């Protein structure tokens, strides 16, 4: 029986979870670590359960709490050791969803969370809970298409500073608010015509949503509504804004830091020390916050080796199997 099965999804579409899974599986292959991978978006339910039946340890990466709980129950009944990586903040779902998260954590062998507040909750459900980041660095930067690069470079000349943000799709939190806060950012930038905002919108769905909600989109707002490497957009910006109502370990926050791009982030979760944090973007002085972000990005920060932490966990679990 093979030992480790990773279940997740790789791009497209581009999102924090799919990028984590892609980078994790790529690094494990580079290290010649023995595992199997199942892309649940391309695999039938029968084949998924067959793969689970032929592996001893299962590591899942998807965010549906009901499915997490159901799979955790199945693994417990069949004697499989389940690792669940919770890619978002605990408590972000409705009451039913949050109960399902706690149930799956109790039934899992090892729950993995992204920040300390979630860890404290997870430990009440399962003493084997771990806090392991989902950020895996990738030095590769894919250039933007030449026409887009030319447009963005040209636009920079007309503004004092360029901000950027991203959203893989239009999504809402349990209170009905936009998780990525794009509408709020557009309204905020309308008061700062000297700055521009680049919005990475690879699905194209956010631009359609905004066009239905806002009659006049200011000229200092620019949507990039096709697949591209966001790191190339970061390199054309003075700062990255993460205006979310809930979060996990944001891939883009850490990519910005790796590139030396200042980060302005909402206080939805505990942010790394290199971020300039705000509570309400509509009440934030962007000029002052940008200067603070420039200072904070220079603070020393050690990025953990997430892949090695996971490899050690896999080996620990395998070593306990008899």
């Amino acid at each position: 029986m093979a030992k480790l099965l990773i279940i997740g999804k790789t791009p497209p579409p581009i999102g924090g979870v799919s990028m984590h899974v892609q980078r994790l599986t790529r690094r494990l292959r580079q290290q010649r670590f023995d595992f199997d991978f199942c892309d649940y978006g391309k695999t039938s339910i029968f084949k998924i359960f067959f793969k689970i039946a032929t592996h001893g340890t299962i590591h899942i990466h998807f965010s549906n709490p009901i499915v997490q709980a159901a799979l955790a129950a199945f693994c417990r009944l069949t004697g499989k050791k389940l690792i669940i990586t919770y890619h978002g903040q605990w408590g972000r779902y409705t009451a039913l969803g949050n109960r399902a998260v706690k149930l799956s954590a109790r039934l899992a062998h090892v729950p993995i969370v992204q920040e300390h507040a979630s860890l404290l909750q997870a430990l009440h459900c399962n003493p084997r809970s771990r806090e392991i980041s989902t950020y895996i660095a990738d030095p590769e930067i894919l250039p933007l298409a030449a026409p887009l690069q030319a447009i963005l470079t040209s636009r920079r000349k007309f503004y004092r500073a360029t901000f950027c943000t991203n959203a893989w799709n239009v999504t809402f939190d349990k209170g009905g608010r936009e998780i990525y806060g794009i509408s709020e950012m557009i309204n905020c930038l309308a008061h700062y015509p000297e700055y521009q905002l680049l919005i990475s919108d690879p699905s194209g769905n956010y631009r359609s949503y905004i066009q239905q909600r806002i009659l006049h989109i200011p000229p200092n707002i620019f949507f990039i509504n096709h697949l591209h490497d966001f790191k190339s957009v970061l390199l054309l910006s003075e700062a990255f804004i993460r205006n979310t109502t809930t979060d996990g370990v944001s891939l883009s926050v850490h990519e910005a830091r790796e590139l030396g791009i200042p980060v302005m982030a909402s206080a939805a979760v505990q942010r790394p020390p290199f971020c300039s944090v705000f509570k309400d973007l509509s009440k934030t002085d962007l000029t002052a916050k940008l200067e603070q972000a420039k200072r904070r990005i220079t603070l020393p920060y050690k990025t953990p080796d997430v892949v090695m932490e996971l490899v050690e966990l896999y080996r620990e679990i395998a070593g306990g199997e008899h």
Side-chain angles (χ1 to χ4, degrees):
M1 181 183 292
K3 288 187 175 177
L4 175 66
L5 172 67
I6 297 175
I7 303 177
K9 196 170 186 179
T10 56
I14 292 176
V17 179
S18 62
M19 290 300 295
H20 170 78
V21 172
Q22 182 183 71
R23 293 179 183 184
L24 172 61
T25 53
R26 182 188 298 159
R27 284 276 303 277
L28 290 175
R29 291 188 185 104
Q30 289 171 351
Q31 295 183 19
R32 301 187 183 279
F33 187 86
D34 185 25
F35 75 100
D36 289 329
F37 173 65
C38 175
D39 189 325
Y40 66 82
K42 303 175 183 176
T43 309
S44 70
I45 188 68
F46 300 104
K47 193 169 184 179
I48 291 174
F49 277 99
F50 174 77
K51 285 181 173 290
I52 291 173
T54 56
H55 291 78
T57 303
I58 320 297
H59 188 180
I60 62 172
H61 297 268
F62 47 79
S63 299
N64 186 312
I66 304 300
V67 178
Q68 287 173 341
L71 188 54
F74 177 79
C75 287
R76 175 62 70 92
L77 289 171
T78 55
K80 308 299 180 183
K81 294 187 175 180
L82 179 66
I83 305 168
I84 302 178
T85 291
Y86 298 95
H87 285 261
Q89 182 184 24
W90 270 41
R92 65 190 176 116
Y93 298 111
T94 60
L96 176 62
N98 291 330
R99 283 197 293 269
V101 166
K102 292 179 179 179
L103 175 61
S104 65
R106 290 190 185 98
L107 296 174
H109 188 67
V110 178
I112 296 175
V113 298
Q114 303 306 302
E115 37 85 36
H116 189 65
S118 294
L119 178 63
L120 293 177
Q121 296 182 62
L123 285 169
H124 284 294
C125 301
N126 190 324
R128 287 190 293 265
S129 298
R130 306 281 184 92
E131 181 183 344
I132 301 177
S133 172
T134 53
Y135 176 63
I136 300 173
D138 182 1
E140 182 180 21
I141 301 178
L142 301 176
L144 299 172
L148 176 60
Q149 178 78 29
I151 291 172
L152 298 184
T153 301
S154 176
R155 285 180 62 91
R156 283 173 54 84
K157 295 183 293 186
F158 300 102
Y159 298 97
R160 281 179 52 196
T162 294
F163 297 100
C164 67
T165 193
N166 56 13
W168 69 273
N169 207 341
V170 184
T171 56
F172 303 89
D173 64 17
K174 62 184 179 182
R177 298 172 299 175
E178 292 176 37
I179 287 179
Y180 295 103
I182 302 298
S183 294
E184 184 181 37
M185 295 176 69
I186 292 174
N187 290 332
C188 178
L189 266 293
H191 300 289
Y192 291 88
E194 69 273 27
Y195 299 144
Q196 73 163 330
L197 175 65
L198 307 179
I199 302 173
S200 177
D201 173 33
S203 71
N205 293 335
Y206 233 117
R207 186 172 73 168
S208 300
Y209 172 76
I210 292 298
Q211 286 174 333
Q212 294 171 9
R213 286 176 53 87
I214 300 177
L215 294 178
H216 175 67
I217 299 176
N220 60 339
I221 305 298
F222 187 86
F223 282 89
I224 307 171
N225 59 336
H226 53 265
L227 288 176
H228 58 278
D229 188 343
F230 184 63
K231 285 184 284 189
S232 290
V233 178
L234 283 167
L235 289 172
L236 291 171
S237 307
E238 272 68 50
F240 167 60
I241 303 178
R242 181 77 170 176
N243 183 38
T244 54
T245 62
T246 182
D247 220 338
V249 172
S250 168
L251 173 69
S252 299
V253 163
H254 287 272
E255 286 184 334
R257 185 208 151 266
E258 292 279 339
L259 297 171
I261 306 301
V263 178
M264 300 158 55
S266 62
V269 295
Q270 184 177 357
R271 299 294 186 180
F274 58 81
C275 293
S276 177
V277 179
F278 56 84
K279 290 185 178 180
D280 184 342
L281 186 65
S282 66
K283 299 177 182 178
T284 299
D285 183 329
L286 287 187
T287 302
K289 191 57 72 173
L290 174 59
E291 292 307 310
Q292 184 186 68
K294 288 178 179 178
R295 294 191 297 270
R296 297 196 70 84
I297 199 64
T298 62
L299 294 175
Y301 182 79
K302 183 178 180 180
T303 302
D305 191 334
V306 170
V307 176
M308 286 311 301
E309 289 185 44
L310 289 173
V311 166
E312 289 175 7
L313 175 61
Y314 298 150
R315 287 174 175 161
E316 176 187 320
I317 293 174
E321 294 176 352
H322 300 286

